[in-house]
Amino acid sequence: MSSRKSKSSNLIQADYVSQVQRILRERFCHQSPHGNLFGVQVQYKHLIELLKRTAIHGESNSVLIIGPRGSGKTMLINHALKELMEVEGVSENILQVHLNGLLQINDKIALKEITRQLNLENVVGDKVFGSFAENLSFLLEALKKGDRTSSCPVIFILDEFDLFAHHKNQTLLYNLLDISQSAQTPVVIIGLTCRLDILELLEKRVKSRFSHRQIHLMNSFSFPQYLKIFKEQLSLPSIFPEKIFAEKWNENVQSLSEDRSVKEVLQKHFNVSKNLRSLHMLLILLLHFWFCLGNMLALNRVTPSHPFITAADLMEANQLCSMDSKGNIVHGLSVLEICLIIAMKHLNDIYEEEPFNFQMVYNEFQKFVQRKAHSVYNFEKPVVMKAFEHLQQLELIRPMERTSVNAQREYQLMKLLLDNTQIMNALQKYPNCPTDVRQWATSSLSWL
Amino acid sequence: MLHLENMVLCRESQVSTLQSLFGERHHFSFPSIFIYGHTASGKTYVTQTLLRSLELPHVFVNCVECFTLRLLLEQILNKLNHLSSSEGECSTHITCEIFNDFVRLFKQITEAENLKDQTVYIVLDKAEYLRDMEANLLPGFLRLQELTDRNVTVIFLSEIVWEKFRPNTGCFEPFVLYFPDYSIGNLQKILSHDHPPEYSADFYAAYINILLGVFYTVCRDLKELRHLAVLNFPKYCEPVVKGEANERDTRKLWRNIEPHLKKAMQTVYLREISSSQWEKLQKDDTDPGQLKGIKGSVETVTRDTSSVITHNQDTKVHTKEHV
């Protein structure tokens, strides 16, 4: 009887867990528009005012939203658009065009995309236009309402704005900004970019038509606010159906955010990178460790090893987050390859980072091998060459210039892309490292 | 799912990490996952096996095969179309030349009933070749979930670390997962797994032990070791087959095979001679020094034709880099 009860409670537990997973995953993996804005209230107000002025009063505007990657530019604009659409009478009237610099790689494609998004494909039909400007103005004319006195305001959102500045003559930017300055149709041009020097990329004629309005998102929150964000991101919303479970969960999250070791981990993370995306990465790993599978269960249902998140899960997640990837690659190299890396390290020490070639590395390696006790590493030169080429394939060493047909491979100059601390750290962790190799790593001289 | 354990040896924790990353079918997964590790560490195999056994909708593309943008995009779209269409329906070939059209067509295809509410996975193998293609391709794929507004996850498999992929102005950072190399115990376990049925597992395990003893300091690549194991096993069994020794006579077997393995390191391992030549060599028991490998036959050719080559051409041929 008790086993049946515990089985049913396990099932209920698994159900809650699945719901928790769904909510948290949507929060971390998918940019849901329901999230809260952290620390960008001022910028948000500025943006929403601008949008309202165009949508309701018919003013034309242009603005650039500048901020590092992951600072919330797209989230900001999505929030603003959502709020705008809720204002009465706006949503039927206004048109949105979303362009992205990664997708529309030249102006022709951009123009086709604008036509498509404005649903004017059949209006344009097979017309041939003389210039870009003609085409664009035709499109905007076509948007005029029945009485031809006013036309629908259009919101142009240009993501990866700096990529548009690399197009030929910056035609798209010039024409869009030209329209925003002239009195044709009310448009607002919103550019999102991660480059602070975006204005230097614009041509003079484009820059002069731009209103120089910039909204900066600077991730300007402090560590206590970061902690608060951490807590909010992990807490379940009040609309969660199982109230008791949600309460217990939120209490657990509260106690977790007050734990000292958790604070230390978050402080380290905060010092490296403030943006919320890296926090989300850490939280995804946290979810994974909470869920650590002891055995691979059938079905897609997975059950966690313990009911609530603990600080130990966060420790493990942090460790995984801050791994040195090159160190991991060195961990998997064979002993011969490690010997070659140590030989390169010694060459770098002696010749102060001058480039070397395979023959020099081989000579250095031979000096090690010829000490009597180390004849076990006496491999043939082609075998050593193969190991060297494997290192090149892994991009741990790089040729100084492109492979030329005239030079022989053994004499091509290379550079090592690992530094001494990385090598020594990797050697510490290297499994079954022979002692003589380890000793050779610390000193290239032998006093025997 | 117990058979998954048997199919994928020594990779339990990676499988469990991937499973928890995938989550349930209709949940959102992280938009992009980057898996790196040495060659032959099981990245492609584990990902494919896991996606197939969980029956998640996925498309597997190798970037070495699809060396142009068009090939890559068309392959993904057509495979996806194949997945989404019902049986018996013959779908037309989709053409796509630019990334913008790819996004638009992708959105159309994933509206299909059987792809609608689940995460679709696109796996790009040998992703380091993406860096040499168009500049917008890698950042575009990293953000595919955002660009298409669909539940899609792109998995990148590569040997090179993520830091070398990052574009200049930054990009959407993927979830980075490391596939560790196999330890010597793991290698032994995996290599002993494919022992031929005629001999006992212990006999084969002893052979693998000897093989690893010779090659482990030089090479840890599982594919190479497997290839060498298969090539040299007949020579190892020779004394047993001829009746000179029985399966337990380890010293005799060792003395027989050890010089042979050392020769293998200088020839077959370096691909100086082909594996079919090596097998012939084992049958005839000749000295590999006499064998004219690829290098040898080219030298013979140059020696034979040197009489018709003038002096200038002659120096060019002899100072050119070896083949």
Side-chain angles (χ1 to χ4, degrees):
Chain A
M1 204 334 226
S2 60
S3 63
R4 193 159 33 105
K5 235 188 191 171
S6 64
K7 207 177 172 188
S8 68
S9 73
N10 266 347
L11 280 176
I12 296 174
Q13 175 87 329
D15 192 47
Y16 294 171
V17 158
S18 154
Q19 287 189 36
V20 170
Q21 267 249 312
R22 188 179 57 82
I23 293 176
L24 290 181
R25 270 171 168 266
E26 204 171 309
R27 220 181 260 169
F28 303 151
C29 299
H30 186 62
Q31 320 291 339
S32 59
H34 310 295
N36 292 328
L37 294 168
F38 302 107
V40 293
Q41 317 302 100
V42 171
Q43 290 96 331
Y44 181 70
K45 255 196 256 192
H46 188 175
L47 185 63
I48 193 85
E49 264 217 31
L50 211 68
L51 287 174
K52 281 193 176 141
R53 290 222 290 264
T54 305
I56 301 173
H57 306 293
E59 260 184 45
S60 281
N61 267 313
S62 52
V63 66
L64 272 180
I65 305 180
I66 304 176
R69 298 265 175 203
S71 51
K73 307 182 283 293
T74 316
M75 189 183 66
L76 189 77
I77 188 73
N78 286 340
H79 261 272
L81 286 175
K82 200 166 82 122
E83 192 184 309
L84 190 68
M85 291 299 153
E86 285 165 5
V87 174
E88 273 194 45
V90 166
S91 49
E92 312 88 50
N93 224 3
I94 205 163
L95 289 165
Q96 292 180 34
V97 175
H98 291 260
L99 297 176
N100 193 313
L102 287 175
L103 298 177
Q104 283 89 41
I105 48 180
N106 65 36
D107 293 330
K108 215 165 63 155
I109 302 175
L111 201 53
K112 270 206 217 125
E113 187 66 28
I114 296 176
T115 321
R116 209 177 287 131
Q117 289 194 21
L118 292 175
N119 293 324
L120 289 174
E121 271 160 316
N122 39 0
V123 175
V124 169
D126 286 324
K127 282 210 175 67
V128 173
F129 294 100
S131 74
F132 190 98
E134 264 184 53
N135 199 341
L136 197 56
S137 60
F138 176 80
L139 288 177
L140 293 174
E141 275 285 316
L143 292 177
K144 281 205 194 307
K145 282 204 284 209
D147 57 1
R148 302 194 72 83
T149 49
S150 60
S151 56
C152 301
V154 187
I155 303 181
F156 283 94
I157 298 164
L158 279 73
D159 222 332
E160 312 281 343
F161 190 78
D162 45 297
L163 293 179
F164 284 109
H166 292 302
H167 291 181
K168 186 160 172 266
N169 291 338
Q170 297 183 358
T171 4
L172 176 72
L173 292 183
Y174 175 72
N175 283 300
L176 283 178
L177 290 173
D178 197 36
I179 291 176
S180 79
Q181 293 286 35
S182 59
Q184 289 177 39
T185 36
V187 294
V188 60
I189 317 277
I190 306 175
L192 284 77
T193 177
C194 65
R195 291 187 66 158
L196 274 176
D197 61 345
I198 179 68
L199 287 181
E200 266 133 59
L201 291 176
L202 297 177
E203 278 181 18
K204 201 164 78 107
R205 58 179 186 154
V206 178
K207 210 195 300 195
S208 61
R209 284 172 172 74
F210 174 53
S211 71
H212 282 77
R213 214 178 258 114
Q214 295 173 39
I215 299 179
H216 288 272
L217 295 175
M218 287 304 203
N219 277 339
S220 54
F221 41 84
S222 59
F223 184 62
Q225 282 172 311
Y226 190 74
L227 266 183
K228 232 174 64 158
I229 294 174
F230 168 74
K231 209 173 56 158
E232 275 183 47
Q233 292 278 303
L234 275 182
S235 304
L236 292 175
S238 48
I239 56 169
F240 193 73
E242 306 300 327
K243 300 285 178 200
I244 310 172
F245 181 77
E247 248 186 66
K248 271 199 270 180
W249 176 274
N250 290 343
E251 269 172 30
N252 181 50
V253 171
Q254 172 75 27
S255 65
L256 206 65
S257 65
E258 287 160 3
D259 182 296
R260 208 181 57 129
S261 51
V262 168
K263 275 199 199 164
E264 266 178 40
V265 166
L266 287 176
Q267 177 77 57
K268 260 195 228 144
H269 219 83
F270 179 74
N271 289 342
V272 170
S273 151
K274 267 189 188 181
N275 70 31
L276 290 183
R277 266 199 205 141
S278 58
L279 182 63
H280 284 174
M281 200 87 76
L282 183 65
L283 294 176
I284 296 251
L285 273 171
L286 178 62
L287 277 187
H288 161 60
F289 278 106
W290 172 49
F291 250 55
C292 228
L293 293 171
N295 51 328
M296 291 184 255
L297 296 174
L299 317 169
N300 285 325
R301 275 277 160 103
V302 295
T303 55
S305 51
H306 35 266
F308 295 117
I309 304 181
T310 61
D313 294 330
L314 190 63
M315 298 302 152
E316 284 199 51
N318 185 46
Q319 224 179 4
L320 214 62
C321 242
S322 45
M323 275 193 315
D324 175 19
S325 47
K326 275 202 187 146
N328 287 336
I329 295 284
V330 174
H331 185 270
L333 294 176
S334 66
V335 176
L336 178 58
E337 287 154 1
I338 292 272
C339 288
L340 287 181
I341 289 189
I342 297 174
M344 289 182 227
K345 169 177 173 290
H346 290 314
L347 281 177
N348 275 342
D349 289 336
I350 299 171
Y351 296 109
E352 285 168 14
E353 314 270 330
E354 287 272 320
F356 49 80
N357 61 27
F358 170 68
Q359 192 60 44
M360 290 163 70
V361 176
Y362 185 67
N363 290 341
E364 188 72 26
F365 179 54
Q366 288 295 96
K367 280 191 227 162
F368 170 65
V369 163
Q370 267 144 25
R371 299 181 207 172
K372 272 201 203 134
H374 306 146
S375 56
V376 69
Y377 299 113
N378 202 354
F379 297 111
E380 305 271 303
K381 197 165 177 190
V383 178
V384 183
M385 184 68 188
K386 184 163 174 163
F388 191 78
E389 284 176 352
H390 186 221
L391 288 178
Q392 196 179 347
Q393 193 193 348
L394 288 173
E395 297 196 5
L396 288 175
I397 58 183
R398 190 176 57 98
M400 293 297 289
E401 71 236 349
R402 290 197 152 268
T403 323
S404 53
V405 188
N406 297 326
Q408 279 182 297
R409 273 180 313 191
E410 289 101 338
Y411 299 106
Q412 240 195 346
L413 288 176
M414 304 268 187
K415 210 166 108 85
L416 179 63
L417 298 176
L418 294 169
D419 69 33
N420 287 355
T421 21
Q422 269 179 315
I423 299 175
M424 295 318 281
N425 284 342
L427 268 181
Q428 298 277 39
K429 298 197 207 120
Y430 190 72
N432 307 327
C433 184
T435 2
D436 41 9
V437 172
R438 218 193 279 264
Q439 281 178 346
W440 179 40
T442 48
S443 140
S444 64
L445 307 162
S446 73
W447 296 104
L448 297 166
Chain B
M1 210 106 75
L2 285 173
H3 73 280
L4 189 66
E5 257 179 38
N6 296 333
M7 281 204 290
V8 181
L9 296 169
C10 308
R11 280 273 170 253
E12 287 86 19
S13 84
Q14 280 70 43
V15 174
S16 82
T17 313
L18 276 178
Q19 265 186 314
S20 79
L21 271 179
F22 293 162
E24 296 193 25
R25 227 166 242 275
H26 52 276
H27 285 170
F28 276 98
S29 288
F30 206 74
S32 45
I33 302 174
F34 183 82
I35 301 179
Y36 73 100
H38 277 275
T39 174
S41 54
K43 308 181 287 292
T44 317
Y45 181 61
V46 166
T47 317
Q48 248 183 340
T49 318
L50 192 62
L51 285 171
R52 279 202 201 127
S53 55
L54 290 176
E55 289 177 12
L56 297 169
H58 68 281
V59 170
F60 200 89
V61 176
N62 192 320
C63 298
V64 178
E65 271 178 23
C66 308
F67 54 91
T68 65
L69 181 64
R70 188 180 172 159
L71 284 172
L72 182 66
L73 299 179
E74 285 185 4
Q75 225 192 56
I76 298 177
L77 287 174
N78 285 309
K79 282 191 179 171
L80 211 57
N81 206 12
H82 193 68
L83 272 184
S84 70
S85 62
S86 43
E87 298 88 35
E89 216 182 272
C90 172
S91 36
T92 52
H93 184 81
I94 303 177
T95 53
C96 169
E97 285 200 20
I98 47 178
F99 201 60
N100 195 26
D101 292 341
F102 172 74
V103 165
R104 200 167 36 93
L105 293 166
F106 187 85
K107 279 160 99 159
Q108 279 177 15
I109 295 177
T110 45
E111 284 289 318
E113 269 317 303
N114 50 349
L115 287 181
K116 219 169 175 180
D117 285 318
Q118 329 174 41
T119 319
V120 176
Y121 294 91
I122 299 181
V123 185
L124 298 170
D125 202 359
K126 298 270 186 297
E128 56 261 22
Y129 290 92
L130 281 178
R131 301 178 293 174
D132 304 324
M133 294 169 82
E134 278 80 351
N136 66 333
L137 198 60
L138 182 63
F141 272 120
L142 286 165
R143 291 182 172 270
L144 200 62
Q145 193 181 86
E146 187 187 312
L147 292 174
T148 55
D149 199 23
R150 297 274 184 272
N151 194 353
V152 60
T153 296
V154 183
I155 303 178
F156 299 87
L157 303 174
S158 172
E159 208 182 18
I160 315 282
V161 301
W162 167 246
E163 282 80 20
K164 295 192 184 278
F165 278 74
R166 206 180 269 136
N168 287 342
T169 52
C171 58
F172 186 90
E173 297 282 319
F175 183 91
V176 177
L177 182 61
Y178 171 55
F179 261 53
D181 47 291
Y182 293 114
S183 68
I184 191 165
N186 286 344
L187 277 177
Q188 203 144 15
K189 189 168 164 200
I190 298 175
L191 286 169
S192 323
H193 200 245
D194 40 30
H195 68 92
E198 306 89 58
Y199 296 95
S200 72
D202 292 332
F203 179 64
Y204 198 73
Y207 164 61
I208 293 293
N209 219 348
I210 297 175
L211 182 82
L212 284 176
V214 174
F215 280 99
Y216 189 64
T217 41
V218 172
C219 165
R220 290 194 182 175
D221 187 341
L222 181 62
K223 281 189 208 144
E224 292 250 25
L225 290 172
R226 250 181 157 175
H227 179 66
L228 289 164
V230 161
L231 276 185
N232 292 305
F233 191 56
K235 182 75 183 182
Y236 185 71
C237 303
E238 220 180 52
V240 177
V241 161
K242 282 193 196 154
E244 289 166 358
N246 71 4
E247 289 196 358
R248 292 178 194 289
D249 224 343
T250 41
R251 239 187 50 186
K252 222 176 188 171
L253 293 167
W254 154 255
R255 266 189 302 167
N256 176 43
I257 192 71
E258 201 232 352
H260 196 77
L261 287 177
K262 287 243 156 45
K263 271 189 226 148
M265 196 190 294
Q266 292 158 17
T267 50
V268 157
Y269 173 66
L270 296 174
R271 307 287 190 278
E272 295 265 322
I273 64 177
S274 71
S275 33
S276 54
Q277 277 175 322
W278 180 251
E279 282 169 349
K280 209 164 75 97
L281 178 69
Q282 289 187 63
K283 284 212 196 94
D284 304 340
D285 220 1
T286 47
D287 179 20
Q290 292 175 9
L291 192 72
K292 283 209 173 47
I294 303 168
K295 230 171 48 168
S297 36
V298 168
E299 278 171 16
T300 330
V301 166
T302 51
R303 251 180 273 132
D304 289 343
T305 55
S306 61
S307 53
V308 287
I309 294 176
T310 60
H311 176 68
N312 291 340
Q313 287 176 323
D314 204 32
T315 42
K316 269 203 203 141
V317 164
H318 283 292
T319 53
K320 206 178 155 103
E321 188 183 318
H322 68 270
V323 200

